Amino acid sequence: MDLALAFATQLCPASAKRTIHELKPFSMNPGAAVKLSFHKKFSCSVAVAPDRIRQVSEVEVENKKHDLLRAVQETQRGLVATADQRSVIEEALVTVEGYNMGEPIELGKLDGTWRLQYTSAPDVLILLEAAARLPFFQVGQIFQNFECRDQSRGGVVRNVVRWSIPTLLEEQEGATLVVSAKFDVVSARNIYLQFEEIKVQDINISEQLQALIAPALLPRSFLSLQILQFIRTFKAQVPVRRPERRSVGGLYYLSYLDRDMLLGRAVGGGGVFVFTKAQPLKL
């Protein structure tokens, strides 16, 4: 009996109600006291467990996200990833995806601009490979911009690629390629993209080309000024969707989404994507 009382005193704080004192002093079932003491321990633990579990979980998620970003940082957005690196990245992806698996898409979180950190999608890797091989072509930052705030079933997404031609355009951000699509939420985590337009805009010519068109030491003619203005405001738009043919589209699975990371998988073997939140774009 003394052992049971001493054990019960250690399990719950002094300020707590010590139910053990209510036991009859000469109980013929000493095991009941021990059983009650364990019950009190369980009750005390449950009172603090949810907050502690939540805090540990948030720290764990952030650590796993950092592990994923560390795994992709040396791959040049996936261009030079080896088979071993892709295996490590896939394992890190699956780990992060598991934290909110099955939760429905929150369009309020999805809204905004996301910068590409890594992909295995062939259509994007072709661009990166071309920039690596061709001295007259550069690819800068690649973004996805979602407009879906206050929406419930979909919105607009724009794939934005900054690119340049050295000596003719400004480094890295000489021009912008924008591929626009409408998207609809078709299940808890899937969206369907319906591509509508490809556009080239925001052309920023280099200082060398400006000097060639309108030399600084000579009076700028009306024609040279018109040429400069035309280049700066030039936009080329090509519709993807035409009435006489089916629209181009695809299914996209949002495998993870929080305030600063977006993971996606193009359904049908189109590759994986790792994005982090970026500053808003002016398009």
Side-chain angles (χ1 to χ4, degrees):
M1 185 66 178
D2 293 339
L3 176 62
L5 286 172
F7 190 55
T9 302
Q10 294 176 1
L11 289 178
C12 292
S15 59
K17 184 179 179 180
R18 297 174 62 180
T19 311
I20 190 69
H21 289 166
E22 298 175 4
L23 292 174
K24 294 181 180 180
F26 297 103
S27 172
M28 297 302 293
N29 186 10
V34 177
K35 184 175 182 181
L36 180 59
S37 300
F38 277 101
H39 176 73
K40 293 297 289 182
K41 178 189 176 192
F42 179 78
S43 300
C44 293
S45 301
V46 169
V48 296
D51 289 338
R52 293 186 60 186
I53 290 173
R54 189 180 303 112
Q55 291 173 2
V56 171
S57 179
E58 288 175 357
V59 171
E60 184 179 346
V61 172
E62 290 303 314
N63 288 339
K64 295 304 181 181
K65 286 161 58 179
H66 286 304
D67 289 345
L68 174 57
L69 293 177
R70 279 195 294 268
V72 306
Q73 67 181 354
E74 301 296 333
T75 67
Q76 297 181 27
R77 293 179 286 188
L79 176 63
V80 297
T82 64
D84 288 342
Q85 285 176 314
R86 291 195 185 280
S87 178
V88 171
I89 291 168
E90 178 64 24
E91 184 177 345
L93 271 166
V94 171
T95 300
V96 176
E97 289 170 340
Y99 285 106
N100 65 3
M101 185 177 295
E103 295 181 9
I105 299 166
E106 294 186 39
L107 295 184
K109 287 183 179 179
L110 184 61
D111 184 84
T113 302
W114 303 85
R115 178 185 290 109
L116 180 70
Q117 302 293 343
Y118 171 85
T119 187
S120 60
D123 53 345
V124 180
L125 292 179
I126 286 174
L127 279 178
L128 299 177
E129 186 174 358
R133 292 177 178 272
L134 303 175
F136 56 84
F137 182 59
Q138 291 180 341
V139 174
Q141 297 292 344
I142 300 176
F143 304 93
Q144 273 193 339
N145 178 255
F146 286 88
E147 292 183 8
C148 51
R149 187 177 297 277
D150 301 324
Q151 301 295 316
S152 60
R153 297 305 305 166
V156 175
V157 58
R158 295 180 178 89
N159 296 309
V160 181
V161 180
R162 306 289 198 196
W163 61 278
S164 181
I165 300 175
T167 72
L168 296 181
L169 304 177
E170 288 185 3
E171 292 285 325
Q172 301 295 325
E173 297 190 359
T176 301
L177 174 69
V178 181
V179 182
S180 302
K182 289 183 178 179
F183 75 89
D184 297 306
V185 178
V186 295
S187 68
R189 305 305 294 269
N190 286 297
I191 61 175
Y192 182 78
L193 305 180
Q194 189 174 69
F195 294 102
E196 296 199 321
E197 185 180 70
I198 300 174
K199 180 166 55 177
V200 177
Q201 63 183 46
D202 300 333
I203 297 177
N204 302 307
I205 63 176
S206 65
E207 293 182 359
Q208 298 95 314
L209 184 56
Q210 286 190 57
L212 181 64
I213 296 173
L217 300 178
L218 297 177
R220 294 193 173 188
S221 66
F222 176 76
L223 178 59
S224 64
L225 292 175
Q226 288 293 98
I227 293 173
L228 288 174
Q229 182 65 19
F230 172 77
I231 293 174
R232 288 168 181 162
T233 60
F234 175 79
K235 289 184 180 181
Q237 298 173 275
V238 179
V240 177
R241 186 179 181 183
R242 295 179 181 177
E244 65 272 15
R245 68 180 185 183
R246 295 180 60 186
S247 60
V248 179
L251 198 60
Y252 191 39
Y253 177 66
L254 302 180
S255 57
Y256 181 84
L257 172 64
D258 66 15
R259 65 184 181 278
D260 56 17
M261 178 172 279
L262 169 64
L263 306 181
R265 294 178 181 269
V267 178
V272 300
F273 299 87
V274 177
F275 290 94
T276 54
K277 202 65 177 285
Q279 294 297 318
L281 292 178
K282 294 182 179 180
L283 298 174

